[in-house]
Amino acid sequence: MKKLSLLFIVAILAIGVATTSCDAKSSVKLKNDVDSISYILGTQIGQNLSGMPGEKPNLDALLAGLRDALNNDSLAIKMDPMALQMYMQNYFMAAQAKEGEKNKAEGQKFLEENKKKEGVQTTASGLQYKVVKEGTGPKPTATDRVKVNYVGKLIDGTKFDASEDHGGPAEFGVGQVIAGWTEGLQLMPAGSKYMLYLPSEIAYGEQGSQKIKPNSVLVFEVELLEIIPDTTTIEPTIIK
């Protein structure tokens, strides 16, 4: 019942937005609830498909598949489900591998050029960093918790995450993040701001993540605000 209520609220809110803004980009007129729900479902499908590896879907073929499925007249839905699943799996695995190779080559080129820039230093792991502001506080260890501001970008400058997007500074354990962060934070005295350039091997690797493509080099601006004191108290042992 809660799910239905939420969907109804979203639909009502979307009707006003869709009917006023969608017509500028589409000839579709949203005249009733069914129209609005149909449009919402379409946007959800589009958002899910926008991040898939490989080329963008053929819109005409996609719409034809939707139409045929709704009419229960699709050749695809009459195929062996296992064979259909295998076909899709093989396609996406090949597309992801191809995309990963492209990202790897672009990332290597970026790092080769970046390490030659003034102030950029490279560690044994391949992590590159540049001091923007050097703090005067202690350096954290892998077992510490820290408070940081950060902005994460791809090598083309696209922002994919930032602490301000989540309401302010982030707090976490130094050893609980990706390897490039764990290493980079331990180089930084509290109060510092560094640029960190992470090869994919110490970021999200061949698998990537929801917003990160496979083999992506990542660029972070990180400000280490403070090391969070450990407030854990240990009860003394009483020897009788």
Side-chain angles (χ1 to χ4, degrees):
M1 188 67 180
K2 290 183 178 179
K3 291 183 178 180
L4 180 60
S5 299
L6 179 59
L7 180 60
F8 179 77
I9 292 170
V10 171
I12 293 299
L13 292 174
I15 289 172
V17 176
T19 52
T20 56
S21 62
C22 297
D23 291 348
K25 296 182 178 180
S26 171
S27 60
V28 175
K29 304 296 182 181
L30 306 182
K31 299 178 181 180
N32 52 47
D33 289 350
V34 173
D35 292 347
S36 296
I37 287 295
S38 299
Y39 182 81
I40 292 168
L41 291 172
T43 60
Q44 291 177 340
I45 292 172
Q47 288 170 350
N48 289 335
L49 293 178
S50 65
M52 78 177 207
E55 301 178 24
K56 288 186 178 181
N58 180 316
L59 185 57
D60 291 337
L62 177 64
L63 292 175
L66 284 171
R67 182 184 61 247
D68 291 348
L70 287 171
N71 292 332
N72 199 30
D73 189 33
S74 170
L75 292 176
I77 62 177
K78 296 176 182 178
M79 292 173 59
D80 176 12
M82 291 296 294
L84 190 62
Q85 184 65 29
M86 184 62 68
Y87 179 85
M88 293 178 63
Q89 182 176 328
N90 289 340
Y91 173 83
F92 286 122
M93 286 180 62
Q96 186 174 31
K98 183 178 180 180
E99 185 174 57
E101 288 301 314
K102 177 176 177 289
N103 293 335
K104 186 174 183 178
E106 291 177 349
Q108 289 176 339
K109 180 180 179 182
F110 172 86
L111 292 171
E112 282 296 317
E113 295 175 351
N114 191 63
K115 72 179 182 181
K116 300 173 185 176
K117 295 181 179 179
E118 183 178 357
V120 175
Q121 302 182 60
T122 306
T123 70
S125 71
L127 170 69
Q128 296 180 2
Y129 68 95
K130 179 179 180 179
V131 178
V132 179
K133 181 183 74 172
E134 189 76 356
T136 58
K139 295 179 180 180
T141 68
T143 58
D144 284 328
R145 285 186 64 80
V146 293
K147 179 185 289 187
V148 304
N149 282 322
Y150 69 89
V151 178
K153 297 182 179 180
L154 305 177
I155 59 175
D156 65 1
T158 301
K159 187 185 83 167
F160 62 84
D161 196 14
S163 53
E164 66 178 6
D165 296 340
H166 306 285
E171 297 184 11
F172 48 80
V174 174
Q176 297 175 331
V177 287
I178 54 178
W181 266 73
T182 298
E183 179 182 358
L185 285 167
Q186 293 180 84
L187 299 172
M188 302 174 62
S192 297
K193 181 184 287 187
Y194 280 24
M195 296 300 300
L196 302 179
Y197 309 91
L198 276 58
S200 63
E201 292 82 2
I202 54 174
Y204 291 95
E206 296 180 351
Q207 298 303 314
S209 71
Q210 185 176 6
K211 296 182 179 180
I212 309 300
K213 302 294 186 182
N215 293 332
S216 291
V217 170
L218 305 180
V219 179
F220 288 96
E221 179 183 85
V222 181
E223 182 181 16
L224 177 55
L225 300 174
E226 62 176 301
I227 300 172
I228 301 172
D230 186 356
T231 57
T232 303
T233 58
I234 301 175
E235 295 294 332
T237 301
I238 300 176
I239 302 176
K240 296 181 179 180

